[in-house]
Amino acid sequence: MPYSATAAGRTRSFADLKTLLARASPARSGDALAGIAAENEEERAFARMALAEVSLARFLEEPLIPYERDEITRLILDTHNGAAFALIASLSVGEFREWLLDPRTDTATLTRAAPGITPEMAAAVSKLMRNQDLILAAQKCRVVTRFRNTLGLPGTLSVRLQPNHPTDDVRGIAASMLEGLLYGCGDAVIGVNPASDSLQAVVRLLEMMNAFRERCEIPTQTCVLAHVTSTLRAIERGAPVDLVFQSIGGTEATNRSFGVSLSLLEEARSAALALHRGTVGDNVMYFETGQGSALSADAHDGVDQQTCEARAYAVARHFQPLLVNTVVGFIGPEYLFDGKQILRAGLEDHFCGKLLGLPMGCDVCYTNHAEADQNDMDSLLLLLGVAGVNFIMGVPGADDVMLNYQSTSFHDALAVRQALGLRRAPEFEAWLERMGLADQHGTLIGKGAEQNLLPGAGEWLS
């Protein structure tokens, strides 16, 4: 079905919904690389005019990737909640934007509507929104999850402590864990990207982090961000697995390139739930995503990269995760060219994920060959803090020495918390106070407090 818009006596037409969404997207290098971006700002404006008139119901009638050959499309349509959709079923995309920004549309209303919103609807409305719109609408979305602590509460910002090491050296990882905890980071998760795909290395890291956590009685969760099949094998060996991690994409072909499927993820979730390791909740999954992953796998099927990203959130939503993290600038400038594109993508991803009911975090990051710097990341970090992001990364010095990219540091987390008056997960903050690391207001004390953590880290630091 063609779509068109007319202005000043001129009409532009778009062959189908997939083409319309791609042409309406803000400019980014990935869509240009795929040959699906708008030719110029005029075509982009016409596409947005046409998109604003499309009924939300149309996205249920015209799948971007055929139902018969994509299990993500089947998941989206088969699990769609018609009762929740009834709240917005009569709206066009443009009217949906106005409804989202209406002060009367509050957190409770958005929570009720979330199961009826498809990824394509979320992506479509985001294309009509300015950055401030994305921030204001996302700010009203609250998604709370639990495992050993409570994440996503209003007025909080959590941090994944990311103590990566280029050789998986447990001494180096333990030292980074100690440093991050002294800065009050780690309430979202203490999560290591393993340098090796060795099962032995994965199990060793899981055992070390778990022992550290238990000895210091830290109310948080640990994770080795290995492939889901490695985590399943680690569970079979009796390793202390808290969370199952996996990178996911928005098409079946993308996930196939990652070596995963919906059935495999369901198997892994069931295995983790059977361990009963959570103390305050049972959200056991941790997913990472990123605009451009489908294109880099030649698996985007002509869908623009931001809509593909939103479709990945349908996969995540199905498995009730503790954490979902868009690694926004990690794939490189071929997909998000500069700081401006990275900033926009981060706000889009956070908005779409929250609108769909996900506990969204963001790795505010860039690669060293992108046209971006740490000032760009400071801007995105602060804007995401205002928008209510659930968590960010805490990397020693903001420089990941294993993955070789730039992210956010322990100090950056302190800065945004100070600027916006944000606290940590309540159970974690109470632990900081008990350990003499922070006062009752969450302000770090620091001096001499490292002695209280050495019993947990000492075995690996000696």
Side-chain angles (χ1 to χ4, degrees):
M1 171 181 172
Y3 300 85
S4 63
T6 300
R10 300 172 60 193
T11 299
R12 296 292 293 264
S13 295
F14 306 91
D16 51 29
L17 198 51
K18 182 190 301 187
T19 302
L20 179 64
L21 288 167
R23 302 295 195 270
S25 287
R28 61 204 54 199
S29 52
D31 290 339
L33 181 66
I36 60 175
E39 293 179 1
N40 49 47
E41 289 300 323
E42 180 182 280
E43 184 181 25
R44 185 169 289 113
F46 272 101
R48 288 174 178 169
M49 291 170 59
L51 182 59
E53 300 301 319
V54 175
S55 166
L56 292 180
R58 186 64 196 162
F59 293 93
L60 300 173
E61 301 162 358
E62 187 181 339
L64 303 187
I65 303 175
Y67 183 94
E68 297 75 17
R69 60 179 172 85
D70 186 84
E71 68 173 359
I72 312 306
T73 299
R74 294 194 292 274
L75 175 71
I76 292 167
L77 296 179
D78 292 349
T79 61
H80 183 249
N81 188 315
F85 182 59
L87 289 169
I88 55 173
S90 64
L91 303 180
S92 67
V93 177
E95 291 168 338
F96 187 32
R97 173 187 175 274
E98 299 304 314
W99 182 82
L100 289 169
L101 295 173
D102 190 324
R104 293 169 296 182
T105 304
D106 58 11
T107 299
T109 303
L110 289 169
T111 300
R112 290 197 304 273
I117 301 171
T118 69
E120 292 85 355
M121 295 173 194
V125 74
S126 76
K127 297 176 193 299
L128 304 185
M129 300 173 88
R130 290 170 54 189
N131 288 357
Q132 68 176 359
D133 299 336
L134 297 172
I135 293 167
L136 288 171
Q139 195 178 65
K140 296 192 287 185
C141 300
R142 279 289 159 192
V143 183
V144 178
T145 55
R146 297 175 175 86
F147 188 75
R148 284 200 190 91
N149 56 23
T150 307
L151 304 174
L153 292 170
T156 65
L157 171 68
S158 296
V159 177
R160 170 190 161 192
L161 204 174
Q162 184 171 309
N164 294 346
H165 193 279
T167 63
D168 290 337
D169 180 73
V170 292
R171 293 179 62 194
I173 290 170
S176 293
M177 288 173 61
L178 177 61
E179 181 186 15
L181 290 165
L182 289 171
Y183 279 103
C185 295
D187 52 341
V189 64
I190 301 175
V192 173
N193 297 88
S196 167
D197 59 2
S198 158
L199 180 61
Q200 181 180 356
V202 169
V203 171
R204 182 175 70 251
L205 292 175
L206 284 167
E207 291 175 343
M208 183 276 285
M209 289 192 296
N210 184 66
F212 191 144
R213 181 194 61 77
E214 286 188 335
R215 290 177 189 179
C216 293
E217 300 181 329
I218 310 170
T220 191
Q221 32 285 329
T222 62
C223 183
V224 174
L225 282 70
H227 192 270
V228 63
T229 53
S230 295
T231 304
L232 277 169
R233 291 166 63 199
I235 290 173
E236 292 169 358
R237 288 198 178 190
V241 172
D242 289 343
L243 306 182
V244 173
F245 167 82
Q246 184 55 48
S247 295
I248 55 173
T251 70
E252 180 178 343
T254 305
N255 287 326
R256 191 183 307 122
S257 75
F258 292 153
V260 298
S261 63
L262 297 180
S263 60
L264 178 60
L265 294 174
E266 186 60 59
E267 179 187 353
R269 179 172 181 267
S270 297
L273 286 171
L275 299 178
H276 301 290
R277 293 180 57 82
T279 56
V280 298
D282 61 358
N283 298 116
V284 297
M285 302 300 284
Y286 174 13
F287 295 115
E288 286 192 350
T289 66
Q291 288 194 30
S293 60
L295 177 57
S296 68
D298 193 23
H300 62 103
D301 212 327
V303 178
D304 69 271
Q305 68 180 39
Q306 189 249 334
T307 303
C308 278
E309 170 74 4
R311 283 171 55 93
Y313 302 155
V315 179
R317 179 168 64 175
H318 185 65
F319 296 102
Q320 302 171 32
L322 181 75
L323 306 164
V324 179
N325 177 36
T326 170
V327 193
V328 67
F330 183 73
I331 304 182
E334 299 83 0
Y335 308 97
L336 296 170
F337 180 71
D338 57 15
K340 182 178 180 178
Q341 291 189 11
I342 292 171
L343 186 147
R344 172 70 189 191
L347 295 178
E348 288 171 347
D349 294 352
H350 177 253
F351 161 78
C352 288
K354 283 289 184 64
L355 191 60
L356 294 168
L358 287 176
M360 288 301 296
C362 183
D363 190 343
V364 180
C365 65
Y366 64 102
T367 57
N368 289 312
H369 61 309
E371 292 294 322
D373 60 25
Q374 213 64 36
N375 285 323
D376 295 313
M377 300 306 104
D378 288 349
S379 299
L380 176 54
L381 175 59
L382 188 60
L383 291 175
L384 285 169
V386 174
V389 70
N390 278 33
F391 68 102
I392 59 170
M393 303 299 108
V395 177
D399 183 4
D400 193 303
V401 296
M402 193 279 281
L403 293 174
N404 294 310
Y405 78 116
Q406 308 304 309
S407 184
T408 48
S409 70
F410 306 142
H411 299 81
D412 295 331
L414 286 177
V416 72
R417 281 173 171 154
Q418 181 179 345
L420 301 177
L422 300 172
R423 306 290 289 264
R424 302 166 185 85
E427 300 90 343
F428 189 84
E429 197 154 274
W431 172 80
L432 288 173
E433 185 179 353
R434 288 196 306 272
M435 297 295 287
L437 298 170
D439 64 19
Q440 62 181 339
H441 305 294
T443 302
L444 295 181
I445 297 170
K447 187 175 181 180
E450 65 273 6
Q451 298 299 320
N452 297 330
L453 291 181
L454 286 178
E459 175 183 340
W460 295 281
L461 295 178
S462 59

